[in-house]
Amino acid sequence: MGMKLFEPFKIKSMELKNRIGLAPLLNMPDVLTTFTITDNTVKWFEARAKGGAGLIMTGTLAPALLNLPGAMERVAQIAEMVHSYGAKFGVQTGGGGPMIGVGPSGPPYPDELHPKQSISEIMIGKLSPFPGIEGVVELTVDDIKQNINDFANVAVMLKEAGVDCVELHCAHGGATLYCSFISPFYNRRTDDYGGNWENRLRFPVETIKAMRKAVGKDYPLLVRISADELLKDRGITLEDTTQIIVPALEKAGVDCFDVSQGSILHSPQGITIPMYYPRGCYIHNAAAVKQVTKLPVIGVGRIVDLDMAEKFLQEDKADIIYLGRQLTSDPETPNKYLDGRFEDIRKCIGCLEGCGTPCPVNYDLQPGSLALEPAEKSKKVLVIGGGVAGMEAARVCALRGHEVTLLEKSPELGGIVAALALNPLNAEFNNFVEFLGNQMRRLKVEVRVCKEVTAADVKELKPDVVIVATGSALTLPEVTEGKPLVMDHIEALRKKNAIGDKVVVWGHVYGAELAVALAKEGKDVTLIGEAGENALTSHSGNDRKFWMFKKLTDVNAVRSHPREARVSNPKVLYNIKVEDITPEGIKIVSRQGRKDILPYDTLIISRGRKSVDSLFNELEGKVKEIYKIGDCSTVANIKGAVWSANEVARKI
């Protein structure tokens, strides 16, 4: 059986060279920040077109933006560039919904009896840059008619600009005008545009009909829908989609269904899917839509592996697979896969830390990044430390033509990131460690493990350049010194068999994910920390943090899946000070002065880290050229490690 991924495929009059598409993302450079399409935007799309995807779809470009002077010229420029790589170019258009303060009806959502807080209220607070579920202005019927006319006009303009298809964004609940009208969660109107399914669908149906009339019968019109809004029966359900929404939109004149899920304000886990969910976990929505329509169906949702994409196509769960964040972490994914260079694919790690603005594992996609060019002179480069900073520096130096040796004191590479990947919730971190390890082998970097480097070793090796990437170490509070059954977060991950049944994790910020994972394994876990609940997973992006809040707190939010359900284990204690550690347990006192003793088999410290830079200090001034990168320079996250490595390695 041949591969379906790289078969041509037609949507109406548009023939694609393969079945891989760039999912519509809002991380297009400059579009959201300056409300313009710039050279940076064009280059961003070029990287993905050059990388081999058959369909390049923009994120939402509203009519107001597309009508600005020069916007259509830029769109035409992108279309011509995309075509030069043999790909087709689509523009997703739509209007902002309650997230930006416009909707079918005002708050609270879903109704006065069952209001639920939005992610912007919980994670960002009342001073959010988005109104969230507050201050929404209800759209008038005249406004609706104007929108219908605007979208029809824009469709014609895009067709004339050389765009191959137009997609109307009717997904993601409070993010968009059209989905908020369709959804019973957001729409409580009592006129012809609310009250029942026919009325709630009237706005998108009339818009699609107007667009179809404007562009003609052969021009492809796509629609993005949330097949399941992940708000239980208060929002759009999969049954609603297959029995009501799909038939109505098909009759209105669409040519293809792009099947997404979720609502950005209340169930973002369907859109920006955290690493805590299995890959491809929402493909069943596309499969269900495909059962009720003969039109092409696009599947999407944390699909980072093209073997998985091929499997979904072979199983007839979709006709096209959209890749979003995977084409951010590596725009060349389709070409590399087609060429059999599987180990060269840099897989997304699901961290949700930027996703292109910037992507933490792909320095090259950031506007203004230093170019990766051959070195003027090949040098002998010694990298000390095999964490992701050291490995990335070694990779870049080798690509530039330097002779690179990397020394690591541990038996394995990857440092703290590899250790964190031992937590099942963070397992995707290993994607980057594996990628860098593969590059070490491919680029013939000399790697020596189990080697703790001294100044004498450096003198003996006689390098031209030394890059010190010795990382960081977790700090242990004085009260734990000399006490039994105490280990730090990284040690606990590497020695999981030594963890007892009754565990106390000290540190809300980094410890939350570990606490949840240990509880899932059946441990009796208590998570403690000095701060309040806002400290939970505060090192991560809001969508990961939102998931943790729903898991660890009683926050008033919609819970659409048992995976998110609030559980009593782990128990979470806030505003706690540890006074002493005794054989009876951990003596704690609350901010209110209440004292208690927590019995434990294992105390895991998951607090701050400090740079390990003693070797750099010893070597500085004794070698011709020396740098420190990663945590050794400034304690940060994966992005900080990758950026510091590139800023040094690209200048040597």
Side-chain angles (χ1 to χ4, degrees):
M1 184 181 295
M3 288 197 67
K4 297 187 76 171
L5 265 177
F6 294 96
E7 290 178 352
F9 188 79
K10 290 191 73 172
I11 302 176
K12 217 47 173 288
S13 60
M14 176 178 67
E15 183 165 347
L16 306 174
K17 66 178 179 180
N18 60 43
R19 297 178 183 232
I20 303 168
L22 168 66
L25 300 171
L26 286 179
N27 57 4
M28 305 169 287
D30 298 335
V31 173
L32 286 183
T33 54
T34 67
F35 209 57
T36 54
I37 303 171
T38 67
D39 287 340
N40 287 331
T41 319
V42 177
K43 291 176 183 176
W44 192 86
F45 282 110
E46 182 175 17
R48 287 145 181 81
K50 184 179 180 181
L55 175 61
I56 304 299
M57 183 65 69
T58 71
T60 307
L61 301 178
L65 185 151
L66 291 169
N67 280 300
L68 290 174
M72 276 298 169
E73 287 80 359
R74 281 291 198 181
V75 168
Q77 179 187 359
I78 297 174
E80 184 177 1
M81 175 272 297
V82 169
H83 294 156
S84 73
Y85 291 102
K88 300 298 183 183
F89 180 54
V91 169
Q92 184 191 79
T93 188
M99 187 174 76
I100 65 166
V102 181
S105 53
Y109 304 115
D111 53 50
E112 289 81 355
L113 295 178
H114 305 88
K116 302 288 183 180
Q117 288 180 289
S118 71
I119 183 174
S120 61
E121 287 179 302
I122 297 166
M123 299 292 100
I124 309 173
K126 301 295 184 181
L127 298 178
S128 164
F130 301 113
I133 61 172
E134 299 178 356
V136 176
V137 176
E138 185 174 313
L139 214 65
T140 67
V141 173
D142 286 343
D143 293 332
I144 291 171
K145 299 300 183 183
Q146 184 62 53
N147 271 277
I148 293 170
N149 185 62
D150 289 345
F151 282 104
N153 290 337
V154 158
V156 173
M157 293 165 61
L158 291 169
K159 179 182 179 182
E160 292 174 349
V163 175
D164 300 292
C165 65
V166 174
E167 177 172 285
L168 184 65
H169 197 347
C170 297
H172 302 165
T176 67
L177 199 55
Y178 285 103
C179 191
S180 63
F181 265 80
I182 298 170
S183 171
F185 193 88
Y186 297 100
N187 188 343
R188 293 193 300 276
R189 296 176 75 102
T190 57
D191 62 5
D192 289 345
Y193 292 92
N196 58 41
W197 280 107
E198 182 181 1
N199 286 354
R200 288 200 304 274
L201 281 162
R202 191 180 306 278
F203 185 19
V205 164
E206 289 181 348
T207 302
I208 290 165
K209 286 181 177 179
M211 293 172 72
R212 171 58 65 205
K213 183 178 180 181
V215 299
K217 64 179 182 178
D218 293 327
Y219 188 74
L221 292 179
L222 288 65
V223 63
R224 167 161 267 207
I225 59 173
S226 280
D228 187 339
E229 217 172 354
L230 306 177
L231 300 173
K232 299 185 178 178
D233 58 1
R234 296 193 176 280
I236 299 166
T237 67
L238 187 55
E239 183 179 7
D240 298 330
T241 294
T242 55
Q243 294 187 8
I244 302 169
I245 297 173
V246 166
L249 297 182
E250 184 171 345
K251 185 178 179 181
V254 303
D255 300 309
C256 177
F257 288 98
D258 167 11
V259 182
S260 187
Q261 54 280 316
S263 169
I264 196 67
L265 287 174
H266 292 90
S267 51
Q269 73 276 6
I271 306 159
T272 49
I273 305 168
M275 65 181 82
Y276 313 134
Y277 289 83
R279 297 178 187 173
C281 59
Y282 289 113
I283 194 64
H284 64 281
N285 290 325
V289 170
K290 192 157 168 53
Q291 291 297 311
V292 298
T293 183
K294 293 182 179 179
L295 295 177
V297 171
I298 302 172
V300 69
R302 184 113 187 90
I303 302 169
V304 303
D305 188 316
L306 289 189
D307 284 337
M308 175 179 281
E310 174 67 20
K311 179 174 181 288
F312 290 155
L313 294 178
Q314 295 286 355
E315 293 172 346
D316 207 28
K317 292 180 177 177
D319 299 294
I320 295 170
I321 297 296
Y322 265 164
L323 303 180
R325 286 176 286 163
Q326 178 54 35
L327 294 186
T328 298
S329 62
D330 195 339
E332 292 281 337
T333 297
N335 285 343
K336 289 178 180 179
Y337 188 90
L338 187 60
D339 293 344
R341 295 185 290 130
F342 310 121
E343 291 188 342
D344 289 342
I345 296 174
R346 185 196 285 108
K347 290 181 181 176
C348 168
I349 63 174
C351 64
L352 302 182
E353 301 296 324
C355 297
T357 53
C359 170
V361 299
N362 191 344
Y363 173 86
D364 287 291
L365 290 188
Q366 175 70 4
S369 60
L370 296 174
L372 182 60
E373 298 174 338
E376 292 183 6
K377 176 184 178 183
S378 179
K379 295 181 180 180
K380 187 176 180 181
V381 178
L382 173 63
V383 179
I384 304 172
V388 296
M391 295 170 78
E392 176 73 352
R395 180 186 76 87
V396 174
C397 285
L399 282 172
R400 296 188 62 224
H402 295 303
E403 179 187 343
V404 185
T405 300
L406 184 147
L407 305 182
E408 165 57 40
K409 69 176 181 180
S410 302
E412 60 184 21
L413 299 177
I416 286 179
V417 174
L420 291 174
L422 298 173
N423 178 343
L425 291 180
N426 301 132
E428 295 282 7
F429 283 176
N430 203 47
N431 296 346
F432 192 42
V433 177
E434 287 184 352
F435 167 76
L436 291 172
N438 290 335
Q439 299 312 296
M440 298 298 98
R441 290 185 287 274
R442 185 177 74 81
L443 296 168
K444 295 181 171 54
V445 173
E446 182 181 355
V447 177
R448 305 180 200 173
V449 295
C450 301
K451 175 60 180 175
E452 185 157 7
V453 181
T454 66
D457 295 323
V458 175
K459 184 177 180 180
E460 182 180 342
L461 289 168
K462 299 179 180 178
D464 299 311
V465 182
V466 176
I467 300 175
V468 182
T470 44
S472 61
L474 273 77
T475 55
L476 299 181
E478 289 184 14
V479 71
T480 67
E481 290 183 5
K483 303 298 171 66
L485 307 175
V486 177
M487 59 177 69
D488 67 40
H489 190 134
I490 303 304
E491 183 184 7
L493 288 168
R494 289 173 173 158
K495 299 178 181 178
K496 294 180 73 172
N497 291 338
I499 300 174
D501 292 327
K502 186 173 284 295
V503 183
V504 175
V505 178
W506 184 359
H508 289 150
V509 177
Y510 299 100
E513 290 167 326
L514 177 60
V516 170
L518 291 174
K520 187 177 179 181
E521 293 175 10
K523 309 287 187 185
D524 181 358
V525 183
T526 301
L527 176 64
I528 66 172
E530 291 89 341
E533 68 177 26
N534 283 332
L536 288 175
T537 329
S538 58
H539 67 295
S540 63
N542 285 331
D543 294 305
R544 280 169 63 192
K545 188 178 177 184
F546 192 49
W547 188 91
M548 278 291 167
F549 257 65
K550 291 194 284 186
K551 195 76 175 175
L552 294 173
T553 76
D554 294 314
V555 66
N556 180 26
V558 179
R559 303 177 194 279
S560 61
H561 193 280
R563 184 183 290 271
E564 301 163 15
R566 167 76 164 105
V567 293
S568 58
N569 182 28
K571 181 180 180 181
V572 186
L573 302 178
Y574 306 102
N575 304 311
I576 294 297
K577 179 180 179 181
V578 175
E579 290 191 323
D580 198 6
I581 299 172
T582 71
E584 290 75 32
I586 303 167
K587 292 185 176 181
I588 61 173
V589 59
S590 70
R591 180 175 294 175
Q592 293 76 26
R594 180 180 174 182
K595 296 190 176 185
D596 201 355
I597 297 178
L598 301 177
Y600 74 102
D601 297 326
T602 308
L603 170 60
I604 300 174
I605 310 300
S606 183
R607 291 158 56 89
R609 310 195 310 274
K610 61 181 179 181
S611 297
V612 177
D613 58 0
S614 56
L615 183 59
F616 174 85
N617 294 334
E618 185 179 355
L619 292 173
E620 192 173 20
K622 298 179 182 178
V623 294
K624 289 184 291 186
E625 194 174 348
I626 185 169
Y627 306 92
K628 59 178 176 179
I629 62 172
D631 280 359
C632 175
S633 175
T634 302
V635 174
N637 53 15
I638 293 174
K639 182 219 171 203
V642 171
W643 255 242
S644 65
N646 277 277
E647 295 289 336
V648 167
R650 294 177 186 234
K651 295 178 180 178
I652 294 172

